[in-house]
Amino acid sequence: MAVEPVAAMCEQLVKAVEVMMDAESSQRYRLEALKFCEEFKEKCPFCVPCGLKLAEKSQPAVVRHFGLQILEHVIKFRWNNMPQREKITLKNCAMGLLSTGTYPILEEECHIKDALSRIMVEMIKREWPQNWPDMLKELEALTKQGEAQTELVMLILLRLAEDVVTFQTLPTQRRRDIQQTLTQNMDSIFSFLLTILQLNVNKYRKLKLDATQELKARAHCRVGVAALNTLAGYIDWVALVHITHDNCRLLEMLCLLLSETELQLEAAECLLIAISRKGKLEDRKPLMVLFDDVAMHYILSAAQSADGAGLVERHYVFLKRLCQVLCALGSQLCSLVGSDVDVEVPANLSKYMEAFLAFTTHSSQFLRSSTQVTWGTLFRHEVMSKDPIVIEMTTKYLRATMTNLVKTGFPSKNDSPSCEYSRVDFDSDEDFNSFFNSFRAQQGEVVRNACKIIPLEAFQIAGEWLRYQISTPIDIGSTMSKTAEGLCSIFSPSVVQWDAMTFFTESVVGQLFKNVEKEKLPTDQGIELLQAVLNYETRDPLLLSCVLTNVSSLFPFVTHRPHYLPQVLSKLFASITFEVIEESKAPRTRAVKNVRRHACSSIIKMCRDYPQFILPCFDMLYTHVKNLFSNELLLTQMEKCALMEALVLISNQFKDYNKQKAFLEELMAPVAARWQSEEMRHVLWDPALFLAYVGADQLMNDPTIDDQSGINRSRISFCVYTILGVVKRARWPADLEEAKAGGFVVGYTPNGNPIYRNPCTEQVRALLPNLLALIRTHNNLFLPENLARLSETFTRAYDVMEVEKNVVLGLPQPVLDIYDSPVYKTMLERMQGFFCTLYDNCFHILGNAGPSLQQDFYTMEGLAEQVVSSAFVSLAHVPDHRLRPMLRVFMKQLVLSCPTEYYDSLLCPLLGPLFSYMLQRLNQRWQVINQRSSLGGSDEEEAGEEKPVTQEMLEEQLVRLVTREALDLLTVTCILKKAPESAGNKEEMEDEEMMATDSSQAPGAPTYPTDELTELGKCLLKHEDIYMTLLTIAFSSLSWKDTSNCQRTASVVCWTLLRQVVGDNLLPEAVTWFYTSVLKGLQMHGQHEGCNAALTQLAFLIYDALRPRYSELRAVMTQIPKIQLDTLDLFDQRVLNPVPQKPGDKKRKDQFKKLITGTVGKPLGQQFKKEVHIRNLPSLFKKVKPEVKRDALDSENSGLAALFTPQPEDI
């Protein structure tokens, strides 16, 4: 080839690369240069000589890198068409570059080394082993030339393993050829890697002592690091025998390297991967060598020296790795001890446990949290949890947890040694806070497991801490409350300590009653602690909240000493009306609201869990509640309602229908009178009057004015809250004999089940017409004429509330310092909260009415028509966020609780129109979203503003959530869930060699459900129109932009619904539509592994079942891009003329999967990517089918006589 054109072209390329890399270049020049370079790579006939020339050592690094990129491009995209001679030339030149084309190891740029290794690996992927059998020998020879070459060989071997095994970026046959050849040569590869490592580490250790040889020492160290990184790429998947070979020589070397500062991190990484290996327990047994004194000594001393130097980032990362190593060791120990493999508890377990405890007590909150899972595994383990050393450690763990539960270590502060570690681990206080909350929950779980081992000792520890906290003076710290002088903030030392102690006590005491026999309970100590808590007086809301939790935790002791009950109740009642500043006009702070809410829920919890016990105090409670209710402003509506719920719960213990009914009538009398009054009837039935009554049509600016409409709103809320509380809590006795004696049983069903009546039935049924009217009015509020009635203050009264918006968008709530300031809500926020809660509660009442009132609800005259004319009115105007509670809270509950005999009279008339409407609505919504994303970015100008974008995201997410609610309702309605079979010992099942890893066995591939229809589903099957609507929703949803919904519906719903009608005379158009819908789903979601597996399986089932009767399906198949018609014909023949075969015929499924590959959509990032084609080489391993002599029993003349007659071929 003429030298001139190559030189001239190289000159232009160098200029282009310099323009691209120059920070001063303009955007236009840079794009032109890029275009020139890309066109050169695609079209120039002399890429190879240019690439080689640019890659010479004399060129600047960026130019060399571009030269190597050109060579890689040639190998990737032109290799298949290159003559053999050119391939050999290129391969030899590449070997030359490895040999002499780089600077010494410490001078050469990393990206040059990386580019060189990529070139080699791309050639290996195309030619080894068939056409390049000596590749490994050639690489080994290269390592003799020096450190630079050895490092490059390490990089090549690592990249090869990553491409072939980890990322699997090449065709199946090539991947298998290479992986099998690697596996066959693994002995020599491993021994080669270990030799390189040993050699270079020894030289490094020797030379680093000599100051004159520093560069040489660093070079050997660099090779050592490369060898460890390469080993890490192989240890993950090779047979365990290579790791444990030669009495675990590899593990021994890695332990020794933990003391080498420059190599310890990479060594720990390798060690971690090795110890974390799954596989047969027998093969993992040798890993226990790491519990030997020597190995343990190296791990411990490495941890101590890394921690001794204070916080140095590299040392800290190493500590994290070591912590993971100890965790993995603990997991292996728990897997092996007590299994079929004979493994004893290690002799020096205490040494390991001490080391592990050291990480649990380290200043870094992250390290502490990393140990929790392993502690939990140890404490739950059948054998280990009984070991004396583990039992002794349990006490130490609990003591350590007392410190670990204290929330300190915020990155922005300096009040604890944890803070500087948190600055490395967390971006912000919010980030730390959400981490700490999950860390605390994790500790709670482990503490509960620890209490199963030593329940009484744990209780002693909790008791000591509680007493200490009560006797310690309050420390407000530097951050004061904004509410009043002398109050704590959530950062005050006292609050942080009380909070931790309370959480600990709650976890411990809960387990005490589960794990200790009644006679052995430390009742006296428990009552003593309760007495101390009840006598503790504080006006600080944050501390009082902790006190109330402790009262609740210790309450079970009171059941053994009933005379303490009045004291407990008076403490709780005092807290219900708690105020920091009496008669204050300012709104209450969140902390004060929490105390009051806390006291209410504690009373409800006691009445729910110990109603029989509290029954004697009923009259006292009732009198107290009446006194509180006499002042309308003393309690909020929610607080009033909570107290009523508590009374209803105790009234269930009357076990006397008439007595309870009389009590409920008396309790609800004020509500019933107001709710059924003429005034309220007008308000609830007329949207205009309703808006006027609640003040939504008035201009208001001052939120402090205690206006009449605010009182009106609270009255409506109270009525609805009360109805809900009664419907939710009033019940008949669980014991049939008691129910009969009390007059609760009114008859029996044909199959002998008792029919109960609820004492609240009459009152609730009388209130339902107005409730349904309120729901209808609420739906009608969204009509344009009623929206126009809203005043300017309240135009956004129906919008999604800020809190809900954050939940929907998955944004973190502002977490810190919100307890202090009074909660000043704007008028708009109050109105939004009113509408939102009211709407939700109305549907909660309807959802609870079925289970509560039973046949008295289901047989209400014209119930279906009443629901249709209220809950289903004006749905087209109801926004998505308001539709969700109707689907989830009401309809789903109704479907779950409705007895079979009311399916035709109640559920079919409701579900038919509802699903029909949801199909139309969701189709429209998803059409808008799909159009929006296909227009992609045409509204870029508008998108500059934060608001519209967030609004768009919110709308899309709400559509997604409503879709999930609708499909969840459909699933509950039709699909009968079967309990999944246990998967056996998962660890054992993980394939040792990973040789069978194949894309067709993708994780998440659904095991096809044998789910059948529910009784309700069978009932709907008789209504053809409803059933077709259900099918249409299920199949339409496959191509809506929601992957999790697609995967669930494809794997659980679609086939279960369709298989019921496969035998019927489906219209060809319908069959075509179902099948096309699945293919559209693949186009939309096929890029996601789970969806791909579910949709491919669904398509296969449909094609297999319906293709013999519907030739139209073949017509659909012929439209698939890149389909091979001859392969399709072959597949069709097998479908049309099936041979008896095993169910779940994997081979046919794989063939089918290949047929429909053209439908699978690509993710955006892949859509414009040039495809790389790697050709298969002649197969390495030909399968020879052994000639099988036909079994005598299977032969044609299998009569008994024939069995004993010798055949000619047998002689």
Side-chain angles (χ1 to χ4, degrees), residues 446-653:
V446 182
V447 166
R448 285 189 284 277
N449 286 318
C451 290
K452 289 174 186 168
I453 302 174
I454 49 165
L456 294 169
E457 291 88 330
F459 181 65
Q460 293 302 113
I461 295 171
E464 281 168 34
W465 194 4
L466 178 55
R467 282 193 204 90
Y468 172 78
Q469 219 45 63
I470 286 174
S471 61
T472 307
I474 291 176
D475 178 0
I476 294 168
S478 53
T479 47
M480 293 261 275
S481 164
K482 304 185 183 92
T483 319
E485 203 60 43
L487 290 186
C488 295
S489 79
I490 55 168
F491 296 115
S492 298
S494 278
V495 169
V496 173
Q497 288 288 341
W498 264 92
D499 194 30
M501 178 274 293
T502 302
F503 182 84
F504 185 79
T505 309
E506 202 177 5
S507 304
V508 170
V509 177
Q511 287 303 312
L512 185 70
F513 287 91
K514 290 180 188 168
N515 294 299
V516 177
E517 296 151 32
K518 195 175 174 182
E519 300 72 52
K520 294 181 182 169
L521 278 173
T523 308
D524 292 338
Q525 289 160 282
I527 288 292
E528 208 178 295
L529 287 175
L530 180 63
Q531 194 71 54
V533 175
L534 292 172
N535 293 338
Y536 184 77
E537 290 299 330
T538 176
R539 298 303 298 157
D540 194 302
L542 293 170
L543 296 183
L544 183 53
S545 210
C546 294
V547 168
L548 293 178
T549 304
N550 285 298
V551 171
S552 292
S553 300
L554 295 165
F555 183 75
F557 285 113
V558 179
T559 58
H560 301 275
R561 300 277 192 281
H563 53 279
Y564 284 99
L565 182 58
Q567 272 179 274
V568 173
L569 291 174
S570 62
K571 182 83 173 179
L572 293 173
F573 272 108
S575 306
I576 290 175
T577 54
F578 175 79
E579 296 282 10
V580 172
I581 305 159
E582 298 296 337
E583 305 296 320
S584 164
K585 282 292 174 200
R588 296 181 184 119
T589 65
R590 187 151 297 168
V592 170
K593 285 184 167 187
N594 275 0
V595 165
R596 295 170 67 118
R597 192 171 294 173
H598 200 139
C600 289
S601 59
S602 295
I603 290 176
I604 286 188
K605 193 170 163 221
M606 280 164 39
C607 294
R608 184 195 68 200
D609 297 344
Y610 306 98
Q612 192 64 48
F613 178 69
I614 296 173
L615 184 60
C617 295
F618 178 77
D619 292 332
M620 179 192 109
L621 271 174
Y622 193 17
T623 312
H624 204 101
V625 170
K626 282 183 199 165
N627 291 340
L628 288 176
F629 277 26
S630 60
N631 176 351
E632 196 170 0
L633 298 175
L634 200 56
L635 300 174
T636 66
Q637 309 314 320
M638 212 188 229
E639 288 158 4
K640 284 181 191 170
C641 215
L643 293 175
M644 288 176 81
E645 281 189 47
L647 291 171
V648 175
L649 280 165
I650 305 174
S651 77
N652 290 335
Q653 293 304 310

Side-chain angles (χ1 to χ4, degrees), residues 629 637 640-641 644 664-678 680-681 684 714-726 763-764 766-768 770-771 845:
F629 277 26
Q637 309 314 320
K640 284 181 191 170
C641 215
M644 288 176 81
L664 291 173
E665 276 173 2
E666 186 185 323
L667 185 72
M668 291 184 76
V671 166
R674 177 165 283 152
W675 192 247
Q676 292 172 293
S677 68
E678 203 52 41
M680 192 60 89
R681 182 186 153 77
L684 297 178
S714 72
R715 283 176 179 166
I716 289 184
S717 292
F718 180 55
C719 289
V720 172
Y721 267 131
T722 305
I723 301 170
L724 176 58
V726 170
Q763 297 92 289
V764 173
L767 304 176
L768 278 179
N770 274 359
L771 183 88
I845 292 171

